[in-house]
Amino acid sequence: MNNMNQMMKQVKKMQEQMMKAQEELGTKTIEGTAGGGVVTVSINGHKKLLDIKIKPEAVDPEDIEMLQDLVLTAVNDALGKADELANQDMGKYTGGMKIPGLF
């Protein structure tokens, strides 16, 4: 019975650490870029878009599709980096296991 109590305390401590790490992800900013930096997006660790910066040389009224592709690429770059950050931060507590809904 004593082992069970110790295990439950460890589980509770791990849950608290994971929740704190999840909250901290929201305070971290990740940038994604495209076109050699002509389009830059910023998101937080919760994958919320914070900012989009587009340099004037990226804007060509004759080629809107290119600008759309650059924005899409930059967003996907940032989202990929956010996933890596979440896996790195949360992996400390999950031992590399993917837990659905956690990150």
Side-chain angles (χ1 to χ4, degrees):
M1 190 66 156
N2 196 20
N3 284 341
M4 182 63 98
N5 287 337
Q6 285 180 320
M7 187 172 81
M8 293 304 292
K9 285 180 184 180
Q10 288 177 337
V11 167
K12 184 177 180 181
K13 182 179 178 183
M14 186 176 95
Q15 286 175 327
E16 290 170 356
Q17 290 172 330
M18 289 173 59
M19 287 183 70
K20 182 179 178 188
Q22 185 72 17
E23 287 176 22
E24 288 175 359
L25 282 173
T27 66
K28 295 181 179 181
T29 302
I30 301 104
E31 282 192 352
T33 62
V38 295
V39 174
T40 303
V41 299
S42 298
I43 64 172
N44 68 19
H46 290 161
K47 299 181 182 177
K48 302 293 181 193
L49 186 60
L50 304 174
D51 190 33
I52 298 176
K53 293 181 183 168
I54 301 172
K55 292 185 178 178
E57 58 265 29
V59 181
D60 178 356
E62 300 297 318
D63 194 3
I64 297 299
E65 287 181 10
M66 174 62 86
L67 180 57
Q68 292 169 336
D69 288 344
L70 289 171
V71 171
L72 183 63
T73 300
V75 169
N76 285 330
D77 182 44
L79 291 173
K81 290 176 181 177
D83 284 340
E84 289 175 19
L85 179 65
N87 287 333
Q88 179 183 6
D89 285 2
M90 300 303 289
K92 298 173 197 172
Y93 307 108
T94 63
M97 292 185 313
K98 304 283 186 197
I99 301 174
L102 184 58
F103 54 93

